[in-house]
Amino acid sequence: MSKRSASDRATDGQAFAKASGSGAKRDENEVNDIGEFEDAWEDEIESEEEVVDGEAGDGEDGMDVDEVMPAIEESEELPPAPEAFIPGTHVLGKDEILEPDDSVYIMRHSMNVTWPCLSFDVLRDSLGDERQRYPATAYLVAGTQADQASKNELSVFKMSSLHRTQKDGDDSDSDEEDDDALDEDAILEFRSVPHHGGVNRVRAQPLPPSSPLPPASQPYFTATWADNGKVHIWDIRPLIESLDVPGYSWDKSRTNKPAFTINSHGHAEGFAMDWASSGNANPSSLRLLTGDVHSKIYLTTTTPSGFNALSQPFTSHTSSVEDLQWSPSEPTVFASCSADCSVQIWDVRSKGRRSVAGIEPAHESDVNVISWNRSTSYLLLSGGDEGGIKVWDLRNVQKKGTTVVPSPVASFNWHTAPITSIEWHPTEDSIFAASGADDQVTLWDLGVEPDDDEVGTPMNDAPDGARDVPPQLLFVHQGQKDVKEVHWHPQIPGAVLSTALDGFNIFKTISV
């Protein structure tokens, strides 16, 4: 109930004047000759103005009087719409934080872990391909970077209850099942084995598309690059089974120790590693490449009797090998990138273990990551320490010995810090994801072409000096600190997973 002033009450016929505390009590039965009531104390009665003044102060009679409040004006103006934060254009003020706009996410979840994971890989499961229903489930394998070498672990994570992101207001998806519309906290379960030393990189054995997870009796191999110079190969299949089958107890002799350790690199640390896609799930036809900071690349193969680490390295780089990628179409060809600013193309059949072609220089600084397009096998992505992203047509790459440096078919300089990870979409040959040390995960589509009228035109309502947003940039995901790696989920179309100092994110946007 709102408060009213004394004058307001008087106009309603409900206000009464106050009498002075000093006069004698009046005789209410006294009447004059013409029948009118005579008030002997009318000089003592306060005017309405005095009543208002009395209410504004403490009052002479010591009575508590409500303070008169001004009328509240109702406004039909809507609050201002939240402004999109553009990295490089806007700067967060003191005490400001970024808040995600859930209207542009189909699904978004954040999960914290005990120790940061520099690297992870998505594991194939038996839940089916092209999954569109929610809640979703995802499996991944990751290695930790603990504060002590003895505390590190190799862990298999199960992310479940990945519900669709709830949106405010009317939603076009409101007719879907209730389970799809829930926005509950995701569940993160894991099984771990001890891993001596920090894990620089993790890569899981590739399984053919549309193939189910191997039975629990068969191995599912994962390789780890340890910071002590060792490459370990683990069988993680029992850990997955333990997450899915209540009460399952795995054989520690099978899981808690590596199935094989590659000692070819000596004590040299490394980050580069990639499995060749064998086209089937047969573990006897696997091939693993590993590259170290001393510029050497080693090949490890499998035979029916086990793993075989070849002793002769591939040597053409002059600095640390940062990333490796097998060709998706030629089983003997692979690519590498290095801190020597080059990208090299190799054929394992060539004599002398030297590269057969290369791009020198590919970037102005260290080339940190590469990704080979699975659908259009002549396209290769590279990301540099300067923050640049380049797309190369390998049909234009010259053989070794030539001095012609090919030009990239596309080049982007959106990121303002080193590119830490880059990966083509598993089925869309024009889409890729990238992450940078500027705390951004970006999604791109090379198939988007700018309109002639929009080329060089700054963003609407953008401040002076604002950066032009490339039309190929579909989405910028932020909120994580020190993002290290990003991967697409091959069985949940459009789902992206990323790891950072503060844990994992899994999301799907309306853009892809």
Side-chain angles (χ1 to χ4, degrees):
M1 181 180 294
S2 61
K3 297 179 181 180
R4 295 184 297 176
S5 65
S7 59
D8 292 335
R9 293 195 296 270
T11 57
D12 292 338
Q14 302 296 323
F16 295 88
K18 292 191 294 185
S20 169
S22 59
K25 185 176 180 181
R26 64 186 179 184
D27 186 356
E28 297 180 357
N29 294 325
E30 185 176 353
V31 181
N32 62 12
D33 295 338
I34 59 176
E36 293 181 353
F37 179 79
E38 182 178 356
D39 189 352
W41 291 276
E42 67 176 329
D43 291 341
E44 300 292 334
I45 297 176
E46 299 173 348
S47 67
E48 291 181 356
E49 289 78 4
E50 291 173 328
V51 173
V52 174
D53 293 339
E55 290 180 348
D58 294 335
E60 294 180 359
D61 54 4
M63 296 179 63
D64 293 333
V65 182
D66 291 340
E67 181 182 357
V68 179
M69 302 295 292
I72 300 176
E73 296 182 1
E74 296 184 359
S75 174
E76 296 182 356
E77 294 183 3
L78 296 176
E83 182 182 7
F85 182 87
I86 306 297
T89 297
H90 303 104
V91 178
L92 287 177
K94 184 179 180 181
D95 299 328
E96 286 186 327
I97 59 174
L98 291 176
E99 292 186 354
D101 180 2
D102 281 332
S103 67
V104 298
Y105 289 94
I106 296 175
M107 177 261 293
R108 181 185 63 82
H109 294 280
S110 301
M111 302 177 195
N112 295 325
V113 290
T114 304
W115 298 109
C117 299
L118 290 182
S119 179
F120 75 99
D121 205 359
V122 181
L123 297 176
R124 186 161 188 87
D125 56 54
S126 298
L127 302 178
D129 294 341
E130 302 294 323
R131 304 202 293 265
Q132 300 285 353
R133 293 179 63 83
Y134 295 91
T137 299
Y139 297 80
L140 57 91
V141 59
T144 63
Q145 285 281 333
D147 59 353
Q148 297 179 16
S150 59
K151 294 182 179 179
N152 283 294
E153 297 176 327
L154 175 68
S155 302
V156 173
F157 293 92
K158 179 182 180 181
M159 299 177 174
S160 57
S161 295
L162 301 173
H163 287 276
R164 183 184 294 272
T165 298
Q166 192 175 29
K167 299 177 177 61
D168 297 331
D170 295 332
D171 193 343
S172 59
D173 298 324
S174 59
D175 294 333
E176 297 195 17
E177 296 182 7
D178 292 340
D179 284 348
D180 288 3
L182 291 175
D183 186 23
E184 298 179 353
D185 291 336
I187 299 173
L188 183 65
E189 305 169 86
F190 64 95
R191 299 289 185 269
S192 301
V193 295
H195 186 283
H196 184 71
V199 180
N200 291 345
R201 188 153 294 177
V202 174
R203 289 295 179 263
Q205 166 193 344
L207 295 178
S210 303
S211 66
L213 187 69
S217 60
Q218 293 185 11
Y220 188 3
F221 290 122
T222 290
T224 59
W225 237 124
D227 59 9
N228 58 12
K230 306 298 181 184
V231 177
H232 302 297
I233 298 176
W234 310 77
D235 180 7
I236 61 169
R237 184 62 185 86
L239 303 182
I240 302 174
E241 194 73 5
S242 176
L243 287 168
D244 292 336
V245 179
Y248 180 86
S249 179
W250 67 80
D251 182 2
K252 291 186 178 180
S253 64
R254 177 182 171 185
T255 57
N256 285 30
K257 293 183 178 180
F260 186 76
T261 296
I262 301 172
N263 295 307
S264 305
H265 299 276
H267 297 289
E269 190 175 5
F271 296 87
M273 183 164 55
D274 193 40
W275 292 93
S277 178
S278 61
N280 57 63
N282 186 357
S284 65
S285 60
L286 296 173
R287 291 168 296 146
L288 177 67
L289 285 169
T290 52
D292 61 36
V293 296
H294 290 171
S295 73
K296 292 182 174 61
I297 301 171
Y298 287 91
L299 174 64
T300 299
T301 62
T302 55
T303 64
S305 60
F307 290 92
N308 178 32
L310 304 183
S311 60
Q312 185 180 1
F314 296 88
T315 56
S316 283
H317 285 297
T318 58
S319 187
S320 172
V321 180
E322 299 296 301
D323 201 7
L324 290 161
Q325 283 271 289
W326 284 98
S327 168
S329 58
E330 300 181 64
T332 63
V333 176
F334 68 91
S336 64
C337 66
S338 168
D340 62 14
C341 306
S342 74
V343 172
Q344 303 287 345
I345 308 298
W346 312 72
D347 192 322
V348 297
R349 300 169 299 180
S350 64
K351 296 179 180 180
R353 301 289 174 127
R354 306 288 293 181
S355 60
V356 297
I359 308 171
E360 304 178 45
H363 286 256
E364 296 78 14
S365 58
D366 301 1
V367 188
N368 297 330
V369 287
I370 53 176
S371 180
W372 212 316
N373 195 305
R374 299 180 186 178
S375 302
T376 308
S377 59
Y378 55 82
L379 291 180
L380 184 78
L381 282 168
S382 65
D385 213 42
E386 81 286 356
I389 297 173
K390 296 184 180 182
V391 187
W392 304 95
D393 186 337
L394 296 181
R395 296 173 299 181
N396 299 329
V397 176
Q398 303 295 320
K399 293 183 178 181
K400 296 291 288 186
T402 60
T403 58
V404 178
V405 178
S407 299
V409 295
S411 182
F412 306 102
N413 294 299
W414 175 260
H415 285 271
T416 58
I419 302 299
T420 58
S421 181
I422 200 164
E423 186 173 278
W424 288 104
H425 190 283
T427 56
E428 300 291 338
D429 61 359
S430 65
I431 296 176
F432 66 89
S435 65
D438 54 1
D439 300 336
Q440 295 185 62
V441 175
T442 52
L443 307 183
W444 303 78
D445 187 355
L446 298 180
V448 178
E449 296 182 358
D451 294 335
D452 293 339
D453 295 338
E454 296 178 355
V455 174
T457 302
M459 298 173 294
N460 294 333
D461 302 326
D464 293 339
R467 301 175 64 194
D468 289 338
V469 179
Q472 294 85 1
L473 179 57
L474 297 180
F475 197 88
V476 177
H477 174 78
Q478 299 177 90
Q480 290 183 280
K481 183 179 180 181
D482 199 8
V483 186
K484 290 298 183 183
E485 204 165 275
V486 60
H487 295 293
W488 299 93
H489 196 293
Q491 296 174 271
I492 307 177
V496 179
L497 297 95
S498 57
T499 185
L501 187 65
D502 50 2
F504 295 104
N505 274 193
I506 179 170
F507 61 92
K508 182 177 179 179
T509 76
I510 61 175
S511 302
V512 179

